[in-house]
Amino acid sequence: ATGAYPKRVKVVEVGPRDGLQNEKNVVPTPVKINLINMLSETGLQVIEATSFVSPKWVPQMADHTEVMQGINKLPGISYPVLTPNLRGFQAAVAAGAKEVSVFGAASELFTQKNINCSIEESLERFDEVMKAARETNIPVRGYVSCVLGCPYEGKISAAKVAEVSKKMYSMGCYEISLGDTIGVGTPGSMWEMLAAVMKEVPVGALAVHCHDTYGQALANILVALQMGVSVVDASVAGLGGCPYAQGASGNVATEDLVYMLNGLGIHTGVDLQKLMDTGTFICNALNRKTNSKVSQACCRL
Amino acid sequence: MGTVPSALKHCLSYQHLLKEQLWIAEPPAAAHPAQEPQASGLPEYIKIVEVGPRDGLQNEKVIVPTDIKIELINQLSKTGLPAIEVTSFVSSKWVPQMADHKEVMRGIERHPGVQYPVLTPNLQGFHSAIAAGATEVSVFGAASESFSKMNINCSIEESIERFEEVTKSARNMNIPVRGYVSCALGCPYEGNVVPDKVAEVSKRLYSMGCYEISLGDTIGVGTPGSMKKMLEAVMKEIPLSALAVHCHDTYGQALANILTAMQMGVAVVDSSVAGLGGCPYAKGATGNVATEDVLYMLNGLGINTGVNLCAVMEAGNFICRALNKKTNSKVAQASFSTGNIN
């Protein structure tokens, strides 16, 4: 049976951060700001703006302060930013951020390679951020990477994902976004992983962040929706390749997601045409073709 | 994702992962013992009908030489695919890409246990197909009057009459006939298509003797919502076991639509190696869903297909090189660094 779907889904737009961070070409600050401003006009309620990480590690996000200060912050829209540690958190708040995100992982090896410490140590760093955020009334979103597979460890146990998610939720993250970082998940593994996580974290606090590297994203998202998840991350124009598979795609395209949700009669508040126009803008600026099939199809009719 | 430092360069390469087959799983030997409630609603076995050599190549810009077509079909025959749509006995005036239908039919290796259906739009095509050695044929109806007129120059009713001639002859010769219904989820001319209309046309085709009805989302506009509604209407008239879905990925919805169909019990899925075959109604857009991507999903769900994904990827690589084009399969793209097998 297909089951009932949520009546509304919150779409979290990660293009300006996750998308641009994983694009080959570095985008000038005014283009980033314009992208975010255009996204703000589409009806999206959450737009991940940038990352307060050292530019030594992520040069694409070196202009985080200018971006944060340069964008139009529309009322009713949240502009979360990544903050890997206390220093990043403080810089983000100083630049005007009102919501932050922290990134955990369900894989020890991925955590080692990515941020040079163990999962336990990374959670300790986040705890500092959580404390400071609590004092300043700043909501924190938690991400768990590698929930359906890891480029280093291979298979990841659903129990491990549940354990890390539970820890981050208990620390105070208001929402946990479960990321299929290399896009290897299928509806089967998605179901199994969510069943385990939902024993520890209420479904209302869960989001899915699916990558389309193997073309499975929308099918995986469909299963998540059937299980009651009502927050979905996506990237306009499918920005952001996969750093672990050269030439392959990464994030699922927001346009394709919204098209599916519209067809299911699920309310998102997002104007698909305005979204496509925004995708066209950023693809022109990046001198690349869109990864959104909806955009590809509509532009030619 | 979090930060991505240069340590990344030292991570396992995808070639390494592929060799260990961490993600490109073998088809399951037996049903998973702990069938998840969601998965237990799914069929244990899905029959994949490979339409690349016909539907795929017919909608590619480049006309493919006969020997390449034959080689493609021969490679596909070795993958475990149970059905491979070979060619179309249509006048070469209308479909020049399929002008070599006789040579292809006669030139391919016929593997035991594999069906090689061909399109036959009318009695003349049917006779020609049989003479060339065909042992299964397909007829193409549509759920939209405008599409029927624009595509085959007659009304739905007139097309049904033509097909009846084919199914009558086929019955006399014990030749199975598969029926297709185009525009099941939308029409490039009429827009919305009413599910009851799809059910009505499907019923006509089934009643005249088609053993299976393949419901085609011809322009790929369907979503899980419209797929469900359409199947509910059709399932009132046709037994589930006689239904197949033929989804196009023009709007990226194909796998989600196929999953929905499987959740409702449909156990036959059409697809095209390397996602061959663009959409003739949206220039530059994609068409058929890629067999590799469907297989990846089915393998991940523990559903049996009998098909070897790696072998299909090799066939996909072969035809993409021959066509000088990039694959439309995301699995193929991800598995090989530049989309070509090393």
Side-chain angles (χ1 to χ4, degrees):
Chain A
T2 46
Y5 290 99
K7 291 208 165 51
R8 318 177 78 90
V9 162
K10 179 173 87 175
V11 177
V12 174
E13 173 59 47
V14 301
R17 204 283 309 165
D18 192 359
L20 293 185
Q21 179 171 317
N22 288 298
E23 284 288 325
K24 278 181 295 216
N25 299 328
V26 178
V27 166
T29 310
V31 173
K32 281 187 185 134
I33 290 174
N34 197 30
L35 169 65
I36 296 167
N37 289 344
M38 284 183 79
L39 288 167
S40 290
E41 301 289 333
T42 62
L44 285 160
Q45 296 170 266
V46 186
I47 302 164
E48 198 176 54
T50 186
S51 181
F52 281 79
V53 181
S54 160
K56 190 174 50 164
W57 294 124
V58 186
Q60 302 93 322
M61 299 283 127
D63 55 0
H64 40 230
T65 304
E66 295 92 320
V67 169
M68 204 62 215
Q69 287 172 343
I71 56 175
N72 297 336
K73 297 209 189 79
L74 268 55
I77 301 183
S78 188
Y79 300 91
V81 300
L82 243 75
T83 54
N85 48 39
L86 191 58
R87 187 169 54 175
F89 175 80
Q90 286 159 346
V93 174
K98 297 268 185 299
E99 179 177 330
V100 301
S101 313
V102 294
F103 261 77
S107 153
E108 283 292 352
L109 218 45
F110 185 85
T111 306
Q112 276 298 343
K113 298 267 191 196
N114 220 31
I115 51 176
N116 221 4
C117 64
S118 70
I119 295 182
E120 195 55 47
E121 287 164 332
S122 75
L123 292 177
E124 280 163 26
R125 283 184 206 173
F126 301 151
D127 214 23
E128 299 185 327
V129 173
M130 303 305 310
K131 266 202 197 94
R134 232 183 335 264
E135 281 157 21
T136 44
N137 251 329
I138 302 256
V140 182
R141 187 187 211 225
Y143 283 86
V144 181
S145 303
C146 298
V147 300
L148 298 178
C150 170
Y152 308 100
E153 283 186 19
K155 284 211 156 25
I156 295 289
S157 85
K160 188 70 183 174
V161 181
E163 179 196 320
V164 176
S165 305
K166 181 182 184 171
K167 286 206 173 111
M168 294 182 75
Y169 184 67
S170 314
M171 278 165 43
C173 293
Y174 76 92
E175 195 168 86
I176 306 294
S177 175
L178 303 161
D180 182 11
T181 306
I182 45 174
V184 291
T186 61
S189 55
M190 171 63 85
W191 191 97
E192 198 186 317
M193 184 274 296
L194 282 176
V197 174
M198 279 161 62
K199 291 193 184 125
E200 310 289 350
V201 181
V203 73
L206 291 178
V208 288
H209 182 112
C210 296
H211 278 195
D212 204 39
T213 317
Y214 289 78
Q216 309 294 305
L218 285 188
N220 292 344
I221 289 167
L222 192 69
V223 165
L225 294 172
Q226 290 174 352
M227 291 178 78
V229 173
S230 61
V231 184
V232 181
D233 300 359
S235 175
V236 63
L239 290 178
C242 179
Y244 305 97
Q246 203 199 23
S249 60
N251 286 302
V252 69
T254 315
E255 298 93 314
D256 299 0
L257 169 67
V258 170
Y259 185 90
M260 181 172 83
L261 297 175
N262 285 352
L264 279 162
I266 295 175
H267 177 88
T268 61
V270 180
D271 182 322
L272 182 52
Q273 186 57 59
K274 286 193 178 147
L275 189 60
M276 287 198 291
D277 293 343
T278 309
T280 303
F281 160 75
I282 191 61
C283 287
N284 286 340
L286 280 165
N287 193 28
R288 61 159 278 175
K289 277 194 189 150
T290 181
N291 265 342
S292 154
K293 288 210 160 170
V294 169
S295 253
Q296 268 174 48
C298 287
C299 287
R300 315 289 180 162
L301 281 171
Chain B
M1 276 190 301
T3 56
V4 182
S6 59
L8 173 63
K9 291 185 189 131
H10 303 294
C11 91
L12 293 173
S13 73
Y14 248 47
Q15 305 307 326
H16 178 78
L17 286 176
L18 184 63
K19 283 197 205 103
E20 296 191 333
Q21 296 201 321
L22 282 174
W23 308 124
I24 311 298
E26 291 300 322
H32 281 191
Q35 278 288 11
E36 309 91 348
Q38 177 263 344
S40 69
L42 296 173
E44 275 179 20
Y45 171 79
I46 295 281
K47 178 175 104 176
I48 304 255
V49 175
E50 171 60 46
V51 301
R54 203 284 307 167
D55 192 0
L57 294 186
Q58 178 171 321
N59 288 297
E60 285 290 329
K61 281 180 288 213
V62 179
I63 293 192
V64 169
T66 309
D67 58 342
I68 303 268
K69 282 184 184 137
I70 289 173
E71 175 60 26
L72 171 64
I73 294 164
N74 289 346
Q75 286 197 25
L76 290 168
S77 288
K78 299 187 180 124
T79 61
L81 282 162
I84 302 166
E85 198 178 61
V86 167
T87 187
S88 182
F89 282 78
V90 180
S91 159
S92 48
K93 189 175 48 165
W94 296 124
V95 186
Q97 302 91 323
M98 299 283 126
D100 56 0
H101 40 234
K102 288 202 189 94
E103 294 91 322
V104 171
M105 201 68 220
R106 294 203 184 111
I108 56 172
E109 291 164 11
R110 307 276 283 258
H111 288 232
V114 182
Q115 293 301 320
Y116 299 93
V118 300
L119 243 76
T120 53
N122 49 39
L123 197 57
Q124 183 187 27
F126 175 78
H127 287 317
S128 194
I130 298 301
T135 50
E136 180 176 326
V137 301
S138 313
V139 293
F140 261 76
S144 150
E145 283 293 352
S146 313
F147 187 85
S148 196
K149 288 233 164 63
M150 298 293 269
N151 218 34
I152 52 177
N153 219 7
C154 65
S155 69
I156 296 180
E157 193 57 46
E158 287 164 334
S159 73
I160 299 274
E161 282 162 27
R162 283 183 206 171
F163 302 149
E164 265 166 347
E165 295 184 332
V166 174
T167 53
K168 222 187 252 162
S169 284
R171 208 172 11 249
N172 289 340
M173 304 179 65
N174 252 329
I175 300 272
V177 183
R178 189 187 210 225
Y180 282 86
V181 180
S182 301
C183 298
L185 297 178
C187 169
Y189 311 104
E190 285 180 15
N192 252 351
V193 172
V194 173
D196 283 345
K197 187 70 182 175
V198 183
E200 178 196 319
V201 176
S202 304
K203 184 176 184 179
R204 297 290 298 276
L205 289 173
Y206 186 68
S207 310
M208 73 168 73
C210 293
Y211 76 91
E212 194 168 87
I213 307 295
S214 175
L215 303 161
D217 182 11
T218 306
I219 45 172
V221 290
T223 62
S226 56
M227 172 63 83
K228 180 163 189 270
K229 288 199 181 97
M230 183 274 293
L231 282 176
E232 276 167 352
V234 175
M235 278 158 63
K236 289 191 189 131
E237 308 290 350
I238 313 239
L240 202 42
S241 56
L243 290 179
V245 288
H246 183 111
C247 296
H248 278 196
D249 203 38
T250 317
Y251 290 77
Q253 307 296 305
L255 285 189
N257 291 343
I258 289 168
L259 182 65
T260 301
M262 293 193 311
Q263 287 178 337
M264 293 175 76
V266 172
V268 184
V269 176
D270 300 358
S271 60
S272 175
V273 61
L276 290 177
C279 179
Y281 305 97
K283 198 163 78 135
T286 58
N288 286 302
V289 68
T291 306
E292 298 93 316
D293 299 0
V294 173
L295 280 173
Y296 186 92
M297 179 171 79
L298 297 179
N299 285 352
L301 279 163
I303 293 174
N304 254 312
T305 60
V307 185
N308 184 317
L309 173 50
C310 287
V312 175
M313 284 204 287
E314 286 189 24
N317 187 60
F318 162 76
I319 192 61
C320 286
R321 283 203 164 141
L323 283 165
N324 194 27
K325 65 165 274 179
K326 276 201 191 142
T327 181
N328 269 340
S329 155
K330 287 213 160 169
V331 170
Q333 270 173 46
S335 302
F336 306 103
S337 54
T338 52
N340 296 311
I341 293 187
N342 290 335

